[in-house]
Amino acid sequence: MKVNLNVNGVICTSDVEPRTTLLDTLRDDFLLTGTHAGCEHGVCGACTVLLDGEPVRSCLVFSVQADGYDITTIEGVATAPGEMSVIQDAFCETHGMQCGYCTPGMILTAHALLERTHDVSREDIVEAISGNICRCTGYGQIIEAVEFAADRLKKSNVLRGNKAAQTGSAEGHDASEKGVLEAAADASGKGSK
Ligand code: FES
Ligand code: FES
């Protein structure tokens, strides 16, 4: 079956079996290998992507179900190749990753949380990432990273939900709509701590 998936602002087409998961289509057909396969049973959250802005486990979504939806993968959260989003930067800053296997899922989960509000408590963050397993048990720094990103976004004074025009390129999968988190990165300057 032919599916058209809007991945990171780029329409990507693939011919898939009805049983093909979104996880496999992203990794195998579109070579977006930042979405990690962990348990492939919906338990670990390593495969998390955003479907119309909401975090979902791509191992539990069939590609045909995602037809026509906007999908954001870890490759699409930064403003441009070589750049980092505020949250990615915060993970680096606070050592929020160890082996990095859970990190894309953690970042996308945090991204969805901080698109809703920058005013998050530690409890909100813990609850939001409770479905994401880190085998390196680095939860302390991960929570710290999301707190750090939330604080930076709050100080950046950028309105939430202020999505700019899509900047998708027909040639790659790395361009995405420029959401508030990326706008904040521009506003605050990636290097300013
Ligand atoms: S790989 Fe999808 S939840 Fe573990
Ligand atoms: S950093 Fe290794 S699994 Fe989380």
Side-chain angles (χ1 to χ4, degrees):
M1 299 177 72
K2 194 170 171 184
V3 289
N4 294 309
L5 308 178
N6 186 355
V7 186
N8 302 329
V10 179
I11 301 295
C12 303
T13 302
S14 186
D15 201 7
V16 299
E17 297 284 338
R19 61 184 166 78
T20 307
T21 65
L22 179 57
L23 171 64
D24 286 341
T25 299
L26 290 170
R27 289 182 57 87
D28 299 342
D29 295 354
F30 305 149
L31 305 179
L32 294 168
T33 52
T35 303
H36 290 164
C39 63
E40 298 191 66
H41 282 87
V43 176
C44 72
C47 65
T48 300
V49 299
L50 303 182
L51 200 69
D52 276 0
E54 291 300 320
V56 298
R57 298 178 178 327
S58 61
C59 70
L60 295 185
V61 177
F62 293 118
S63 299
V64 291
Q65 293 176 298
D67 195 16
Y69 281 86
D70 289 342
I71 296 155
T72 305
T73 69
I74 192 67
E75 290 88 351
V77 298
T79 47
E83 299 289 322
M84 285 195 287
S85 72
V86 171
I87 300 174
Q88 287 172 307
D89 196 38
F91 268 70
C92 294
E93 185 76 14
T94 61
H95 307 288
M97 69 187 88
Q98 293 175 71
C99 78
Y101 204 80
C102 70
T103 308
M106 289 286 185
I107 287 176
L108 286 164
T109 301
H111 188 105
L113 174 70
L114 297 182
E115 278 284 341
R116 284 197 290 276
T117 176
H118 303 159
D119 232 342
V120 287
S121 65
R122 200 171 178 84
E123 289 69 33
D124 295 332
I125 297 168
V126 169
E127 189 181 335
I129 65 165
S130 61
N132 294 67
I133 294 173
C134 177
R135 292 164 183 78
C136 297
T137 66
Y139 294 107
Q141 288 110 306
I142 291 168
I143 293 164
E144 198 185 320
V146 182
E147 284 179 323
F148 189 58
D151 188 52
R152 192 179 277 176
L153 287 164
K154 233 187 292 182
K155 287 177 182 155
S156 73
N157 201 26
V158 175
L159 291 174
R160 285 180 294 108
N162 179 26
K163 303 223 170 173
Q166 296 212 345
T167 55
S169 151
E171 292 159 43
H173 301 283
D174 50 13
S176 69
E177 64 181 2
K178 189 173 180 182
V180 61
L181 301 179
E182 292 73 34
D186 291 348
S188 63
K190 194 167 70 68
S192 64
K193 310 295 179 214

